[in-house]
Amino acid sequence: MNDPLVALLDQLEHALAADAGVALLLTDTEDVLQVRATSGGVPASGAGRWVARLATGVGLWGGRSSIERVDPDAPGIGSQLLLAVPDGRSSLLVMARRSREMFSAQDRALARLYARQVAAELGATHARVVADERTTTSPRPATPAASVTSTGGAALPGSATSAASATSRGTATSPRSATSPGAAASTASAAAAPAATSAEGPGPTWTHDLRTIQSIAAQLTRLTTAARIGEVICRETRRVVPADSCRVYVLARDGVTLEPVAWAHFMPQYADEDADTIRLRLGQGITGSAVEAGEGIIVSDASRHPAAIPVPGTELIEEAMLVAPLRYEGMPRGAIVLSRVGRVGFGQDELRLVQVLADQAVVAFENARSLADRDRAVQELEALLRISNAGSMEQDEAQLSELVARTIQRSIGVDAVAVSRLGESSPARLDLLAQEGSLPGTVDRSEVDLTTSTQVRQALIDGQPRLLHARVDRGDAGDLGALRRLGVRQCLVLPLVAASRTIGLLELYLVQDDRVLTEHEVALVRTMGGQAAASLQNVRLLTQLREAADIDQLTGVHNHRYLQERLTQEVARSSRSRTPLSVMLVDLDGFKTINDQHGHADGDRVLQNVAATLRMAVRTNDIVARYGGDEFVVVMPDTALDAARHVADRVVAGVRGLRHQLSDGSEGRVACSAGLAVAPDDGRTAQKLLRAADAAMYRAKRGGGDSVLRAESGRTTITAPRPARS
């Protein structure tokens, strides 16, 4: 009879293209590695050299489950893969190639499958030897195979116990039963209970199923998203392991949540499944426990499992389950979960097949995760670049704030983001600049003063972020009141600090409790916030500089340069829209006397008072500018002659009624003469309008002053409807 171990090694040699051979090494009673079996590629005469050449490799073992190396001194051997056999005896499988081509992740996964088969055969051989010894030394009725169990409670290889009824630690959430920690004690560990291998080695069905698994694995390597990988697993796994339901879980970035990335049902009992009902946490339920333990398991009836947790809105049903954990470099990554309605259980060979697929799938998932990480890094860099570029291009603080809020909201995926500016008044107030995303509260964000929160005030002082939470045990009265009125459960506040000075606040709102911002997300927000603060400060400084360039420093109204720019724009707009435009030029009467008799300081005070009177006499969208010396110009868009005359009369009366306190304690008084010009009758350009208004003003001054005259060039009055004036 052929040695089944040799048959397994021959198949492994062929499957891995290990053309230099495969060897199985076992430790003897003195803990020395000895050759137990070799594939046909290793001559019997060379078996001794395997042990000698492996001495160095074994020294590198260090408790790892596999080692890959290149041995430059081994004749005829290029790369080697050393793999631990899970038989509890420190056995090794050694696979060698003549070339230096390293073994792929798929090769290693396949080798682990054969290592389990080798462990099963070694266990079966050991069981037969023990049974023979018992029969020889103490004849008695044979013990039924079903009662022969290992120390872990699992059926031994070769026993008649149904694999579907074996149970072990850890389980998976059933479609109708999620599970909890503690499920451990009643399901059989696949690693501890390998199925028996016949003396002739694996049969044709096993080989066909293995090839199908390899074909599925090849499909997975071409996919780039976790959802697509999960879909293929759900669809293709039934080709080798029939099931009524398939679910694929991936451990989320928080390291706790087992997120269902794909699920499929083939029986109506599972039709109500969705992501929310089958989502789990690591260590929770059959699936969570299995993933945490890292052991594949079979459950004969999940509905009777002590750790079962009913899914809300469903009833428990009798079903068998199979869970194959996904592990990468010894760390949990997720699981493949199969279920069958009724008590048609799963076998150990089926678990091994799904575990092989899981070993391949986890590599695909890691590749997809790496691609997603790369894409996310690119998107984050693009977001930072967008904010940085906007800081150098945007000239409006509100528009820049809108871009910052929109960029952060889309990058982090929170419900809403707000950008506030810290006012310079005392006590400090946060003025809302922009908000992206809606809040479900009873009030708008602009109606809430966040400075009532102790934590917000502290954040503004020390420049450190704070997480506000709408829970009594985690927030003060200010937090609770503000968050509840806004309809949110959480708010991350991040001070905007530029040049070591807090200039505003970045606010990230979360409506639900279950959304947790990761450390990476908080770090990204801080980076974006730092960039946004610098950009906002630059825009603010540019605005201040621009305003300083447009404002007359003595009177606080616009200067001559700004007047020329705006008047030219308003004339063009008036021409396009065919709306009236009035210009008033004002010159003070008696101002030279105050300057000559009381000095320029008192003269400056008079100019400031007159400028203030002009601003109060006109609308906010009218333009008041100092034309030069004691002359002022008022540009009144959308204003016809009659309305402009009312304004001019109000200005003349207001200036006449002013009492100016002079430095010697006396009071001074001045009057003014004003000239009006209306486009297009009195001119179609800025210069013509100013000349017409100036001529009218001088006629008024020659007539005694303290009056208003219309430009003589105007023959008609524009009768277009005019807006009401204040």
Side-chain angles (χ1 to χ4, degrees):
M1 182 180 298
N2 295 331
D3 187 345
L5 287 173
V6 173
L8 281 170
L9 299 187
D10 284 340
Q11 287 195 5
L12 180 56
E13 176 185 316
H14 176 73
L16 267 62
D19 51 0
V22 178
L24 172 63
L25 308 181
L26 305 181
T27 53
D28 59 16
T29 56
E30 297 180 358
D31 205 28
V32 176
L33 284 172
Q34 301 291 344
V35 178
R36 167 61 178 82
T38 63
S39 67
V42 180
S45 60
R49 290 198 299 272
W50 276 86
V51 177
R53 294 304 313 165
L54 284 171
T56 303
V58 174
L60 298 172
W61 196 256
R64 287 176 285 178
S65 61
S66 65
I67 291 179
E68 191 167 359
R69 66 176 191 149
V70 173
D71 190 346
D73 300 323
I77 297 179
S79 61
Q80 291 178 329
L81 176 63
L82 284 65
L83 187 69
V85 177
D87 65 341
R89 298 177 55 194
S90 302
S91 304
L92 297 180
L93 269 178
V94 184
M95 294 133 280
R97 288 174 174 167
R98 292 188 175 90
S99 69
R100 295 196 175 189
E101 179 186 359
M102 305 302 283
F103 291 86
S104 66
Q106 184 172 349
D107 292 334
R108 291 192 292 272
L110 189 58
R112 283 194 290 271
L113 169 69
Y114 277 95
R116 295 189 186 105
Q117 289 293 100
V118 168
E121 180 55 37
L122 290 173
T125 301
H126 178 70
R128 288 194 293 271
V129 170
V130 171
D132 291 344
E133 289 177 352
R134 288 177 177 174
T135 302
T136 303
T137 57
S138 180
R140 61 177 179 229
T143 302
S147 66
V148 179
T149 59
S150 70
T151 55
L156 285 173
S159 74
T161 303
S162 168
S165 66
T167 55
S168 169
R169 298 181 62 237
T171 33
T173 291
S174 87
R176 285 299 170 275
S177 59
T179 59
S180 64
S186 61
T187 55
S189 167
T197 305
S198 68
E200 289 76 19
T205 301
W206 170 265
T207 303
H208 175 269
D209 289 344
L210 186 57
R211 289 175 180 169
T212 303
I213 291 293
Q214 290 177 297
S215 172
I216 299 172
Q219 294 183 55
L220 300 182
T221 59
R222 297 190 292 269
L223 304 178
T224 58
T225 66
R228 287 290 297 123
I229 294 170
E231 289 172 7
V232 170
I233 291 173
C234 287
R235 183 182 67 244
E236 299 293 333
T237 303
R238 297 186 79 220
R239 293 166 56 188
V240 290
V241 181
D244 299 324
S245 170
C246 177
R247 281 151 291 132
V248 180
Y249 292 90
V250 171
L251 190 64
R253 294 185 183 277
D254 60 11
V256 176
T257 305
L258 286 171
E259 190 69 34
V261 295
W263 58 96
H265 67 273
F266 310 98
M267 294 288 284
Q269 289 89 334
Y270 304 103
D272 295 331
E273 286 186 347
D274 58 41
D276 292 333
T277 58
I278 62 177
R279 183 179 291 111
L280 292 168
R281 297 174 69 84
L282 190 65
Q284 176 189 12
I286 301 175
T287 297
S289 298
V291 173
E292 189 173 51
E295 297 179 353
I297 56 168
I298 295 171
V299 179
S300 59
D301 185 0
S303 67
R304 297 180 180 275
H305 199 280
I309 302 174
V311 173
T314 65
E315 297 180 358
L316 292 173
I317 61 172
E318 189 176 47
E319 60 183 346
M321 294 181 61
L322 178 153
V323 184
L326 304 175
R327 295 184 71 81
Y328 187 77
E329 295 182 351
M331 300 300 294
R333 285 293 186 267
I336 299 174
V337 183
L338 304 181
S339 301
R340 288 175 182 164
V341 175
R343 304 199 68 176
V344 180
F346 294 93
Q348 292 291 340
D349 280 350
E350 291 176 314
L351 177 56
R352 290 193 186 89
L353 286 169
V354 179
Q355 190 62 63
V356 172
L357 179 59
D359 291 342
Q360 296 295 308
V362 74
V363 176
F365 278 122
E366 287 301 311
N367 290 339
R369 185 189 294 260
S370 297
L371 288 173
D373 289 343
R374 182 201 64 184
D375 292 343
R376 185 180 64 171
V378 170
Q379 292 171 0
E380 292 171 356
L381 289 174
E382 289 177 345
L384 288 170
L385 184 61
R386 196 177 304 120
I387 294 174
S388 176
N389 289 340
S392 60
M393 297 174 62
E394 290 287 351
Q395 298 183 355
D396 183 78
E397 190 176 24
Q399 292 180 359
L400 176 59
S401 299
E402 289 175 2
L403 184 143
V404 169
R406 181 168 58 253
T407 300
I408 294 178
Q409 197 258 354
R410 293 177 180 177
S411 299
I412 306 300
V414 293
D415 296 301
V417 174
V419 180
S420 304
R421 179 178 60 194
L422 185 62
E424 297 180 357
S425 61
S426 181
R429 178 175 175 84
L430 289 168
D431 298 318
L432 183 66
L433 292 174
Q435 177 181 322
E436 184 70 20
S438 59
L439 298 174
T442 57
V443 297
D444 186 73
R445 164 62 188 87
S446 60
E447 302 175 47
V448 176
D449 182 11
L450 286 183
T451 57
T452 59
S453 165
T454 303
Q455 293 196 66
V456 171
R457 291 198 300 271
Q458 188 61 39
L460 293 173
I461 293 173
D462 61 24
Q464 297 301 312
R466 296 288 194 283
L467 179 63
L468 313 184
H469 206 289
R471 276 172 43 185
V472 176
D473 59 338
R474 295 183 62 175
D476 60 25
D479 297 342
L480 296 173
L483 297 184
R484 287 174 179 171
R485 291 172 66 198
L486 293 170
V488 299
R489 300 293 298 172
Q490 302 177 73
C491 175
L492 176 69
V493 293
L494 179 77
L496 296 173
V497 180
S500 302
R501 176 172 169 267
T502 300
I503 65 170
L505 195 67
L506 191 61
E507 309 157 22
L508 279 68
Y509 292 99
L510 296 170
V511 175
Q512 300 298 330
D513 278 322
D514 55 3
R515 171 69 164 93
V516 178
L517 292 173
T518 65
E519 292 183 4
H520 175 81
E521 289 173 328
V522 173
L524 177 61
V525 172
R526 297 190 71 164
T527 303
M528 288 183 172
Q531 185 64 61
S535 298
L536 286 168
Q537 182 69 352
N538 288 340
V539 170
R540 194 169 186 180
L541 290 174
L542 288 173
T543 301
Q544 292 173 348
L545 289 173
R546 189 164 52 249
E547 290 176 351
D550 296 338
I551 298 298
D552 177 67
Q553 298 302 306
L554 173 63
T555 60
V557 298
H558 294 294
N559 57 23
H560 185 276
R561 186 194 64 80
Y562 182 82
L563 170 66
Q564 296 291 346
E565 288 182 1
R566 283 300 306 274
L567 182 55
T568 300
Q569 294 170 4
E570 292 299 333
V571 168
R573 190 179 71 85
S574 173
S575 177
R576 288 195 308 270
S577 60
R578 297 181 181 276
T579 55
L581 172 67
S582 296
V583 176
M584 177 174 62
L585 195 149
V586 177
D587 183 87
L588 299 184
D589 302 329
F591 177 73
K592 186 176 184 300
T593 301
I594 291 182
N595 249 352
D596 293 343
Q597 295 181 1
H598 298 277
H600 290 287
D602 284 344
D604 290 345
R605 189 174 299 109
V606 170
L607 291 175
Q608 291 169 350
N609 293 340
V610 170
T613 300
L614 288 172
R615 283 200 301 266
M616 289 189 297
V618 301
R619 299 171 304 181
T620 56
N621 62 322
D622 291 338
I623 302 160
V624 179
R626 186 181 179 191
Y627 194 54
D630 61 344
E631 292 182 325
F632 295 87
V633 172
V634 179
V635 179
M636 296 172 278
D638 303 312
T639 305
L641 177 61
D642 289 346
R645 190 182 297 277
H646 288 307
V647 175
D649 290 340
R650 193 159 60 235
V651 167
V652 171
V655 173
R656 183 191 310 125
L658 285 175
R659 301 290 187 270
H660 305 282
Q661 296 296 323
L662 304 179
S663 57
D664 61 0
S666 63
E667 287 187 350
R669 298 180 63 181
V670 295
C672 70
S673 301
L676 280 175
V678 180
D681 293 347
D682 300 326
R684 295 179 180 273
T685 67
Q687 293 303 320
K688 288 182 178 180
L689 286 172
L690 286 173
R691 282 199 297 268
D694 186 62
M697 181 270 295
Y698 274 109
R699 284 193 299 109
K701 187 175 286 289
R702 287 193 296 269
D706 195 21
S707 61
V708 181
L709 287 181
R710 160 78 190 278
E712 288 183 335
S713 57
R715 293 183 300 275
T716 60
T717 300
I718 298 176
T719 58
R722 58 182 182 269
R725 300 192 56 94
S726 58

